């Protein structure tokens, strides 16, 4: 499995989320990480981003709807 050049902090910044929110998603998806600087495997990064985008499209998620990339 290849690695994306995206860390947890990079994903948080891209989607304007708190780093802790992205870490919670990683934990929920059973993605292993050490800290916010951890570069994610390509499939893991895709899974996290899909989760964020799915939450952004669901109006029932409230504040998560702001998690759209600019």
């Amino acid at each position: 499995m290849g690695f994306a050049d995206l860390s947890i902090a990079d994903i948080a910044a891209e989607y304007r989320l708190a780093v802790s929110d992205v870490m919670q998603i990683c934990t929920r998806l059973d993605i292993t990480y050490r800290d916010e600087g951890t570069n994610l495997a390509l499939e893991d990064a895709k899974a996290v981003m899909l989760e964020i985008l799915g939450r952004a499209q669901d109006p029932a998620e409230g504040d998560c709807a702001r998690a759209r990339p600019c």
Side-chain angles (χ1 to χ4, degrees), residues 10-41:
D10 293 335
I11 294 171
E14 178 73 22
Y15 292 97
R16 296 182 180 180
L17 295 172
V19 169
S20 61
D21 291 339
V22 178
M23 288 178 162
Q24 287 175 356
I25 292 170
C26 289
T27 300
R28 190 170 53 251
L29 296 176
D30 291 326
I31 297 170
T32 304
Y33 62 91
R34 185 176 35 190
D35 56 29
E36 68 273 2
T38 301
N39 282 342
L40 299 178

Side-chain angles (χ1 to χ4, degrees), residues 34-68:
R34 185 176 35 190
D35 56 29
E36 68 273 2
T38 301
N39 282 342
L40 299 178
L42 183 58
E43 292 300 317
D44 291 342
K46 287 165 56 174
V48 170
M49 289 185 282
L50 286 173
E51 175 79 12
I52 292 167
L53 291 173
R55 292 168 61 187
Q57 293 175 1
D58 184 359
E61 291 292 329
D63 288 341
C64 292
R66 66 182 172 83
R68 296 179 197 267

